[in-house]
Amino acid sequence: MSGDERSESGRDRIDDAHVAALLGLPGMGPVRARSLLVDRSPVEAWTGILRGEVPRETAGLLGARRSEVLGGWRSAAATTDPDRLLERIEDMGMRVSRHGQAGYPTQLLEDPDPPVAFFAVGADLLVGGLPRVAVVGTRRCSGYGSDVAIQLGRDLAAAGVVVVSGLALGIDAAAHGGALTVPGGAPPLGVVGTGLDVVYPAANRALWHRVVSAGQLVSEMPPGAGPTRWCFPARNRIIAALAHVLVVVESHAGGGSMHTVAAALERDRPVLAVPGPIRSPASEGSNRLLADGAAPACGVDDVICALGLLGLS
């Protein structure tokens, strides 16, 4: 490695460290973080926060709570060492990739709401040619929905398709559980709404570790970040963006899966829905998608066909 390459590598590490530190500040979401980094390096943004200075755009996003939020950021930054934070991240086996830098998913580069950075652990499933299908649905699923999700996850993995989901209870867990039963099948991809060291929900701890061992887990949340109300809708947009096709197995009328559907449609991802019993509240949302024109997913062949229409089968 030449001196220039070593220097560039060193600058990248410094920027990685400061981006991770920025994302760990209290109340720091993707929109606020992006506003801090417009025409500023991560180091410059961090230094500004330590001085109590932020761009006008950022200040406008904070509204009436500006002084409170800036005070919280400044206090937290004063006790955070970005370099030590990056060392801790690497000691946990995680990787950090910033927008536009090596390792950042190309699928998100032109996204309307891209993460400032990505944290990942496990294999890299976002490079190469494997097709990816998101299988999502309600946490309060029926036995029918769970069985369908397990079978769909198993059949997709056996067909060489990466199953993407959010590692939530219910349909998400069932789909990944099915995918993990296939020897030599396509590895699973989990997109979570907490730091990669914060298992949520705790009931999925064993599944979480199986996904890491067999595939990949990613998040835009830094280590230590626990669950918040906004992090799961934010996670859902990433699930939609990383998948080539979205399948809703079972969803209540106002379920969180509908956020994922909206994000998928915004990104021109095909949306399929599994038909469910007309008297089941768990299928009310997914059946409504069918009534509104979504293609039915009656089995893995329907999903493979949707991938084929994209040239990915």
Side-chain angles (χ1 to χ4, degrees):
M1 180 183 294
S2 69
D4 287 345
E5 289 173 329
R6 283 194 295 271
S7 177
E8 183 66 26
S9 176
R11 285 195 296 270
D12 283 343
R13 283 185 56 78
I14 291 171
D15 283 342
D16 287 347
H18 283 79
V19 160
L22 281 170
L23 292 173
L25 295 177
M28 182 65 73
V31 175
R32 291 176 176 179
R34 282 199 302 273
S35 73
L36 285 167
L37 294 169
V38 174
D39 298 325
R40 299 171 111 200
S41 72
V43 174
E44 289 169 337
W46 185 257
T47 301
I49 285 173
L50 287 171
R51 293 173 178 167
E53 302 169 356
V54 296
R56 182 178 301 176
E57 180 184 354
T58 306
L61 291 171
L62 303 181
R65 298 183 60 233
R66 174 182 175 183
S67 296
E68 177 188 349
V69 174
L70 289 180
W73 286 356
R74 192 174 186 182
S75 296
T79 59
T80 300
D81 184 331
D83 293 329
R84 288 189 178 180
L85 174 61
L86 183 60
E87 290 175 0
R88 185 165 68 88
I89 289 170
E90 292 173 340
D91 287 344
M92 289 188 286
M94 299 178 197
R95 305 180 297 280
V96 185
S97 54
R98 289 173 288 116
H99 189 276
Q101 301 299 310
Y104 190 89
T106 57
Q107 300 87 345
L108 295 174
L109 288 176
E110 302 300 326
D111 193 81
D113 189 10
V116 165
F118 238 55
F119 299 85
V121 63
D124 191 349
L125 302 182
L126 299 175
V127 296
L130 286 179
R132 295 179 299 275
V133 169
V135 181
V136 301
T138 180
R139 290 169 295 176
R140 295 170 289 138
C141 63
S142 67
Y144 161 80
S146 178
D147 289 346
V148 170
I150 290 171
Q151 180 177 347
L152 197 55
R154 182 174 61 240
D155 292 347
L156 286 169
V161 177
V162 173
V163 174
V164 185
S165 214
L167 276 180
L169 297 173
I171 296 300
D172 287 26
H176 266 151
L180 286 164
T181 65
V182 182
L189 173 62
V191 184
V192 298
T194 60
L196 297 179
D197 58 336
V198 180
V199 178
Y200 184 85
N204 278 352
R205 182 175 299 275
L207 179 63
W208 182 293
H209 291 301
R210 289 175 65 202
V211 169
V212 171
S213 296
Q216 185 178 23
L217 205 62
V218 300
S219 178
E220 68 176 328
M221 304 296 289
T228 60
R229 292 187 67 179
W230 65 266
C231 67
F232 297 108
R235 172 207 62 187
N236 291 347
R237 85 189 193 283
I238 299 175
I239 292 173
L242 293 181
H244 296 112
V245 170
L246 173 70
V247 180
V248 181
V249 172
E250 222 178 23
S251 176
H252 292 77
S257 299
M258 295 304 157
H259 295 139
T260 315
V261 168
L265 294 175
E266 182 182 5
R267 291 159 176 80
D268 294 324
R269 304 296 193 267
V271 174
L272 284 70
V274 173
I278 61 173
R279 293 188 177 89
S280 171
S283 289
E284 185 176 353
S286 36
N287 283 341
R288 175 52 54 189
L289 289 174
L290 293 169
D292 290 342
C298 298
V300 70
D301 289 345
D302 292 330
V303 184
I304 298 299
C305 180
L307 288 169
L309 293 175
L310 299 174
L312 294 167
S313 60

